[in-house]
Amino acid sequence: MKVIVAGSGGREHAIAYTLAQSTTIESVICVPGNGGTAFEAKCRNVNPAEREDTASLPFVDAFVAIAREEKADFAVIGPEDLLADGIADALWDAGIPTVGPKAKGAALEASKDAAKIFMNTYGVACAESQTFSDKASALAYVEKKGAPIVIKADGLAAGKGVVVAKTTEEAVQAVHDLMGGTAGKKLVIEEYLQGVEISVLAAVSVTPENAQNGTATIVPFLPARDHKRLLDGAKGPNTGGMGAVCPLADVSAETMAQFKQTILQPTLNGLIAEHIDYRGFIFFGLMLTKDGPKALEYNVRLGDPETQAVLPLMRSDFAALCRSITDGTLADFTLAWKTGFQVAPVAVSGGYPGAYKKGLPLHISTGSGEQDTKIFIAGAVVDRQGDAQSLVTSGGRVLACSAHGETFDEAWRRAYDALKTVSFDGMQYRTDIGLPGAAESN
């Protein structure tokens, strides 16, 4: 089979690499891909912007054209903005099975207000909230409620649309800052939940047919944790993610059972009741509180960098999982996992999450290929000016070193040993991914 993958980040490198491990996959077309997928076995990058026939087309139209030309058997969509733009709708209309929800389902991430309405309608355990379209009303609510409080821009904001305000002054400033942007014409203001955050990714297959016959399903993956703060000890500014670990020793079977009962099953019930054709992945951002897990948000795709820590632990054939999602037979699929742990610290450019330089030579020594270790490229591309085999940085988050071990300590050591084989000017990373005290908590 031939599969086409949309996206250019570390998540997409991990997706493409994992798909390529399947004996059923002949080739993986990455659109546009990155410097990691450029050299991955079975993978090939295709950049619509560099093709005469697609350069002037919107990305969705260009992607569908390339998928047709390549005669792709199915597609996997990485980024949320493409899903919100209806890329899955367009691919299904073109006869190409797609892993990724149609636009109606993608609204669960594209609009935090829509997600909260959905959660409250179907009894998903979550934080209490109110939504505001008027700045004056939002400011009055913040002044009345006080701090701590959480301010969220309604729309997609590339992970930068949430402010956990510890003081009323911070909350007021957040309202002013977020209400002015394109993602913040509407605000969701939530109660502040005390606890520690985790992520649970899941495969979803809800089709008109299996919703009717009772086999629609959501299958959760192992719990993981992203580390958002830039600096050790969960300090510094929020980022897109400084590293991830999976599974979590501090998440009990009882907690996962509560999650399934109060969040996972009600979400499935809601997708069925709303007649949402949802074939793809969903990300549950959770806060573990004294009253049990509460949903903070939905993402309608695999998380980044959680994917780089979760997929390497999957023992089942990932391509077969994807096909069970698209053909509506996920309920019959047996999902199996390796034992042990995966640790994936991220190396970022100096200045990130603020301004940073691009085009810096990226060096990865040959000693980086230790057993059970994989480097997933995120923000790096092939150096067109130099050696065809060399890479230069192109983003703030440059790569993740993902390593497996039968114990957490073994996985952690392997991951950080791999980081020592990587270098570029201004490179920085956290040294405590997965360690006690590293997790963000409220």
Side-chain angles (χ1 to χ4, degrees), residues 214-230:
T215 61
T217 191
I218 298 180
V219 179
F221 294 174
L222 298 174
R225 177 171 287 123
D226 180 15
H227 298 65
K228 289 291 188 186
R229 297 286 185 173
L230 178 68

Side-chain angles (χ1 to χ4, degrees), residues 54-269:
T54 56
S56 62
L57 295 177
F59 185 91
V60 168
D61 295 338
F63 187 86
V64 173
I66 293 168
R68 279 175 160 163
E69 178 186 307
E70 295 284 351
K71 296 181 172 57
D73 292 287
F74 68 102
V76 180
I77 311 303
E80 64 275 16
D81 55 342
L82 296 180
L83 293 165
D85 287 344
I87 191 170
D89 304 69
L91 285 162
W92 279 104
D93 288 345
I96 300 168
T98 302
V99 181
K102 295 180 179 179
K104 184 178 180 181
L108 290 176
E109 181 173 0
S111 169
K112 291 182 175 61
D113 180 43
K116 295 299 292 193
I117 292 172
F118 180 93
M119 290 179 190
N120 289 325
T121 299
Y122 296 102
V124 175
C126 63
E128 293 183 2
S129 69
Q130 287 198 34
T131 300
F132 298 90
S133 299
D134 172 69
K135 184 184 289 188
S137 299
L139 290 170
Y141 182 79
V142 164
E143 293 284 1
K144 176 183 176 181
K145 286 290 187 179
I149 198 166
V150 181
I151 317 295
K152 296 182 176 182
D154 175 59
L156 295 175
K160 299 177 178 66
V162 178
V163 175
V164 180
K166 298 298 179 66
T167 67
T168 302
E169 290 74 21
E170 288 178 1
V172 167
Q173 187 61 52
V175 171
H176 286 296
D177 292 344
L178 294 177
M179 211 107 185
T182 56
K185 294 175 182 177
K186 186 185 291 184
L187 290 183
V188 174
I189 302 181
E190 285 186 349
E191 67 169 320
Y192 175 87
L193 295 176
Q194 288 192 315
V196 63
E197 290 189 42
I198 69 167
S199 307
V200 179
L201 313 181
V204 186
S205 184
V206 179
T207 73
E209 295 77 20
N210 66 22
Q212 186 72 26
N213 65 29
T215 61
T217 191
I218 298 180
V219 179
F221 294 174
L222 298 174
R225 177 171 287 123
D226 180 15
H227 298 65
K228 289 291 188 186
R229 297 286 185 173
L230 178 68
L231 305 175
D232 284 3
K235 300 184 187 304
N238 269 320
T239 72
M242 294 299 295
V245 59
C246 179
L248 304 175
D250 61 333
V251 177
S252 67
E254 180 183 2
T255 295
M256 289 303 293
Q258 282 184 294
F259 158 71
K260 292 175 183 178
Q261 179 182 353
T262 65
I263 296 172
L264 191 79
Q265 187 61 45
T267 297
L268 176 61
N269 295 343

Side-chain angles (χ1 to χ4, degrees), residues 266-289:
T267 297
L268 176 61
N269 295 343
L271 294 174
I272 294 169
E274 295 287 333
H275 304 289
I276 296 175
D277 186 344
Y278 196 118
R279 286 176 258 194
F281 301 107
I282 194 165
F283 168 114
F284 295 89
L286 306 177
M287 183 71 77
L288 303 185
T289 75

Side-chain angles (χ1 to χ4, degrees), residues 177-440:
D177 292 344
L178 294 177
M179 211 107 185
T182 56
K185 294 175 182 177
K186 186 185 291 184
L187 290 183
V188 174
I189 302 181
E190 285 186 349
E191 67 169 320
Y192 175 87
L193 295 176
Q194 288 192 315
V196 63
E197 290 189 42
I198 69 167
S199 307
V200 179
L201 313 181
V204 186
S205 184
V206 179
T207 73
E209 295 77 20
N210 66 22
Q212 186 72 26
N213 65 29
T215 61
T217 191
I218 298 180
V219 179
F221 294 174
L222 298 174
R225 177 171 287 123
D226 180 15
H227 298 65
K228 289 291 188 186
R229 297 286 185 173
L230 178 68
L231 305 175
D232 284 3
K235 300 184 187 304
N238 269 320
T239 72
M242 294 299 295
V245 59
C246 179
L248 304 175
D250 61 333
V251 177
S252 67
E254 180 183 2
T255 295
M256 289 303 293
Q258 282 184 294
F259 158 71
K260 292 175 183 178
Q261 179 182 353
T262 65
I263 296 172
L264 191 79
Q265 187 61 45
T267 297
L268 176 61
N269 295 343
L271 294 174
I272 294 169
E274 295 287 333
H275 304 289
I276 296 175
D277 186 344
Y278 196 118
R279 286 176 258 194
F281 301 107
I282 194 165
F283 168 114
F284 295 89
L286 306 177
M287 183 71 77
L288 303 185
T289 75
K290 62 180 178 60
D291 299 318
K294 298 287 183 72
L296 297 175
E297 64 177 349
Y298 293 123
N299 291 165
V300 296
R301 33 69 187 186
L302 292 175
D304 192 349
E306 290 95 340
T307 300
Q308 292 90 301
V310 175
L311 285 190
L313 283 171
M314 189 175 290
R315 187 179 297 279
S316 301
D317 186 303
F318 184 55
L321 171 65
C322 289
R323 292 316 305 264
S324 76
I325 290 170
T326 60
D327 66 21
T329 61
L330 178 61
D332 298 324
F333 188 86
T334 300
L335 187 57
W337 299 93
K338 300 175 185 176
T339 58
F341 294 83
Q342 200 81 18
V343 178
V346 171
V348 302
S349 295
Y352 175 81
Y356 54 85
K357 294 180 180 179
K358 298 181 181 180
L360 302 172
L362 170 59
H363 304 286
I364 303 174
S365 75
T366 54
S368 61
E370 183 182 348
Q371 181 184 5
D372 294 324
T373 300
K374 177 66 181 177
I375 293 177
F376 292 116
I377 299 297
V381 295
V382 176
D383 183 6
R384 297 296 180 84
Q385 307 302 316
D387 185 335
Q389 296 296 309
S390 62
L391 300 177
V392 295
T393 63
S394 61
R397 289 189 295 161
V398 177
L399 56 83
C401 292
S402 184
H404 177 261
E406 285 302 321
T407 66
F408 169 81
D409 289 344
E410 182 179 44
W412 191 92
R413 177 191 61 77
R414 286 177 172 170
Y416 279 94
D417 281 351
L419 265 182
K420 294 174 185 175
T421 70
V422 175
S423 64
F424 56 90
D425 287 347
M427 171 179 160
Q428 61 180 25
Y429 56 88
R430 283 181 60 164
T431 64
D432 65 345
I433 299 302
L435 296 179
E440 287 81 14

